[in-house]
Amino acid sequence: MPIGIIGAMDAEIVRLLENMDDVKQIHIQGNTYHQGQLADQEVVLCKSGVGKVNAAICTQLLITQFKAKEIIFTGVAGAIHEDLDIGDICISSECQQHDVDASSLGFEKGIIPYQESSIFKADPELIRLAEEAAKSIPDVKVLTGKILSGDQFISNVKTVENLYRAYNGICVEMEGAAVGHVCSLANIPFVIIRSMSDRADHSASFNFVEFTKLAAERSCHMVQQMLKEA
């Protein structure tokens, strides 16, 4: 069974695709799934598109259509932990959707009503492999912790402070918790790897454009190192 690898944008998967061998392309529901070999591992690589719904659809198809045995999401994010800077790495210990809000019904923000869990824990072995892989990147800070997801591009210092205080997250992005949600329900191991393209503040939109390529390449490098050790 293959390892499923997802990135939301072309920049987040292009380096991995360039290094794949024996690639076969399969088109399903508007997405292209690249099936082949990467670092001597059988993989299926896909660009999901941005946002939680796109990520969830892609994850489910990797599981049901391609029988993926585990899922790795690679890409960029905005730092919300004060120790992180552009280019640093976050590895998910768990994920949560920060934009779920049923507080008017008496639920805490971030809690999905009537569901057993709203926080989705990453696989310990995949976390270990990611942490080991991160050691191959010099002069980069690596944090393992909660990754927050929402259908919003965060570019406000006050919002960053609120997210950190409310959820104790280390970075914020738009897909990871959806991947974790689907994988948890299907009992499929997963991990989210993010390199910081910005600090989710007033300069985020400018930094995102400037540093996405650097950050994405670091995430891709980590994924390849993980595959070599898997």
Side-chain angles (χ1 to χ4, degrees):
M1 293 187 293
I3 298 170
I5 305 173
I6 309 172
M9 304 179 296
D10 285 323
E12 295 172 323
I13 68 165
V14 64
R15 189 65 66 203
L16 296 173
L17 184 56
E18 289 173 352
N19 291 327
M20 285 180 65
D21 298 314
D22 304 321
V23 179
K24 176 183 178 182
Q25 293 185 343
I26 301 170
H27 304 282
I28 306 175
Q29 294 182 200
N31 279 350
T32 300
Y33 294 79
H34 308 276
Q35 195 168 17
Q37 297 287 321
L38 181 62
D40 295 323
Q41 296 282 353
E42 181 184 357
V43 304
V44 180
L45 174 69
C46 183
K47 180 187 75 173
S48 65
V50 174
K52 294 188 297 180
V53 173
N54 284 328
I57 292 169
C58 185
T59 304
Q60 189 62 58
L61 282 169
L62 283 172
I63 294 169
T64 55
Q65 187 77 20
F66 296 96
K67 310 302 180 186
K69 62 181 179 181
E70 55 196 26
I71 303 289
I72 302 172
F73 195 103
T74 176
V76 302
I80 58 177
H81 193 287
E82 62 182 6
D83 289 343
L84 290 170
D85 208 341
I86 291 171
D88 290 338
I89 300 289
C90 287
I91 300 166
S92 64
S93 59
E94 57 191 13
C95 301
Q96 185 174 9
Q97 299 174 60
H98 68 79
D99 59 349
V100 173
D101 186 357
S103 54
S104 61
L105 297 176
F107 295 92
E108 293 183 13
K109 290 183 179 180
I111 298 300
I112 303 170
Y114 316 118
Q115 184 165 294
E116 183 176 343
S117 178
S118 300
I119 299 173
F120 309 106
K121 295 188 178 298
D123 179 71
E125 176 60 14
L126 289 177
I127 294 171
R128 186 192 69 79
L129 286 172
E131 290 174 339
E132 287 297 314
K135 295 177 182 178
S136 66
I137 305 175
D139 303 319
V140 169
K141 183 167 292 183
V142 180
L143 287 183
T144 300
K146 183 190 285 185
I147 291 179
L148 304 178
S149 305
D151 285 319
Q152 305 164 3
F153 182 82
I154 304 299
S155 57
N156 181 278
V157 172
K158 187 64 176 177
T159 303
V160 168
E161 293 173 353
N162 290 339
L163 288 174
Y164 183 73
R165 184 171 60 252
Y167 301 105
N168 195 32
I170 57 175
C171 71
V172 62
E173 35 89 299
M174 300 178 68
E175 295 87 22
V179 174
H181 192 160
V182 174
C183 287
S184 294
L185 293 177
N187 199 30
I188 298 293
F190 79 93
V191 71
I192 313 299
I193 298 168
R194 294 288 191 173
S195 181
M196 302 304 100
S197 60
D198 58 84
R199 288 191 53 82
D201 56 14
H202 65 279
S203 63
S205 58
F206 304 103
N207 289 338
F208 178 82
V209 172
E210 182 176 358
F211 294 107
T212 288
K213 183 178 179 181
L214 167 66
E217 287 187 351
R218 286 183 173 177
S219 292
C220 286
H221 173 80
M222 277 188 60
V223 171
Q224 290 182 91
Q225 290 297 118
M226 288 177 66
L227 295 177
K228 290 176 182 177
E229 299 298 327

